[in-house]
Amino acid sequence: MSKRLAILTGGGDCPGLNNVIRAVVFQAVKKYGDEVIAFEYGWKGPIQNITRSLTLKDVDHIFNEGGTIIKSSRTNPYKVEGGPQKVMDTLKANKIDALIAVGGEDTCGVADKLVNDFKAPIVCVPKTIDNDLNATDQTFGFDTSISIVCDALDRLHTTAKSHDRVLVLEVMGRHAGWIATMGGMAGAADYILIPEEPFDIKKVAEAIKIRKKEAGYAIIVVAEGAKFAEGEVLKDQELDAFGHVKLGGIGDRVAKNIEELTGFETRSTTLGHIQRGGSPTAYDRVLGTRYGLAAVDLIHNNKLGRMVSLQGIKITDVAIREAVGTLKTVEMTIYDQTRVFFGDEVRPKAKA
Ligand code: F6P
C-alpha cells in the first residue's frame, strides 16, 4: 500500500545527505507509489511545521551536491516547550505514515525518545563526518571528510618541506578521533593526537625532533577534541541544544608548545568546515544512496524504530536504541598501527 513519507536532516550537514534524499524519493515514488515531503531544518521542521514537497524532479540532479537541499539545524525538541508533542501533532496534521530522520547521535537520540515516548513512526539513517555513531560500521560523510584531510595534508607536506617547518593540522571529529586517525594515516602524518588518548606534549616534541632529523620537516594531525594530559581545549563554554561544548583551538596550542620545546619553526592550520563542504566522494554517494533505499524498504516492511546500518558490505538494520547513548570511539588497534610512523615508537634498541 502506498504511503505518505517525510524526511528530515538534522545536526551538522555533511556530503552525501542529498544522495540519501534522492534515493528515498526515487525508491518511495518509483517502487512503492508513495508521496514524500520534507520537514526543513532538522527537528525544527516538525516543531514549526516547515514543510516542502519532494518530487522526482526536485531530487533528480542533486547527486553531486554537498550539503542538504532540505536544510539542517541542531534543534532539540526536548529542549523546546511542548516540543515532542508538537512533532507528533505535525506528523498527524500532515498525515505522515513514517518519518525518515537522517542524522547522527543527537538526531537519532531524539528519534529514539520519540519512538519510546509516543511510538512515533520513525526510521533513522546514520550520518556524520565524525563516524562516531554506534551500531554501524560507517556513517556517510566520513569518507569525504578524510579525503579532504588527506588533500590538505598533501599540500601541507610540500610547503612544510620547502621551509623545513613543523606544521600542525587541526581536524574535526568532536570526541572521537576517527577523522584524525584515518585522515592522518592517509596523508602520512608524523604524529596523530586523538581524544581517546590524552597526550604528553613533551613526548610528542621528542618524537617530532626525531622525525625532523629523519625527514627535515614534520606534520602533526590533532583532533579538535584531543586532550593534553591536563584537559581539553574549549573554544568557549557555551553549550548547544544537545549540551555539546564548542571545541577548537588545540592546534594553535600544540604548535606553540612544539615550537617552544623543540625550537623548530611551527605553524598551525585549522581545516574547520571545509571538511564538511563540497561534493561527496563516490563512496559516500554509494553509501548514502544504499542507506536511503533501505530506509524506505524498512518502512514498507513495517520495521519502524529501526536504523539502517552498514555491517561489512551489507546494509542491514538495528534498533535505533543500539546506535545512541554511547559514542563509537576509535578502535585503538587501528590507531596503534599508525604509531610506527611517529618517530619515537617501535624503535629497536641499537645493537651493542
Ligand atoms: O558533528 C560534526 C561536526 O562537524 C563536528 O566535527 C564539529 O565539532 C561540529 O560538528 C561543529 O559544529 P558547528 O557546525 O555547529 O560549528
Side-chain angles (χ1 to χ4, degrees), residues 74 128-130 172-174 224 273 276:
R74 292 194 189 278
T128 167
I129 62 163
D130 302 339
M172 284 185 165
R174 196 98 75 183
E224 61 180 357
H273 291 81
R276 275 192 1 212

Side-chain angles (χ1 to χ4, degrees), residues 10 12-15 17 74 102-105 125-134 136 138-143 145 173-174 179 276 284 291 327:
D13 72 335
C14 81
L17 281 165
R74 292 194 189 278
V102 188
E105 157 81 7
V125 174
K127 164 242 70 165
T128 167
I129 62 163
D130 302 339
N131 198 35
D132 59 357
L133 197 62
N134 262 315
T136 187
Q138 196 156 317
T139 50
F140 70 88
F142 174 64
D143 185 69
S145 77
R174 196 98 75 183
I179 297 178
R276 275 192 1 212
D284 278 337
Y291 278 155
L327 288 181

Side-chain angles (χ1 to χ4, degrees), residues 25-34 56:
V25 174
F26 267 75
Q27 187 84 328
V29 173
K30 290 203 164 195
K31 184 167 171 187
Y32 297 105
D34 295 340
L56 287 173

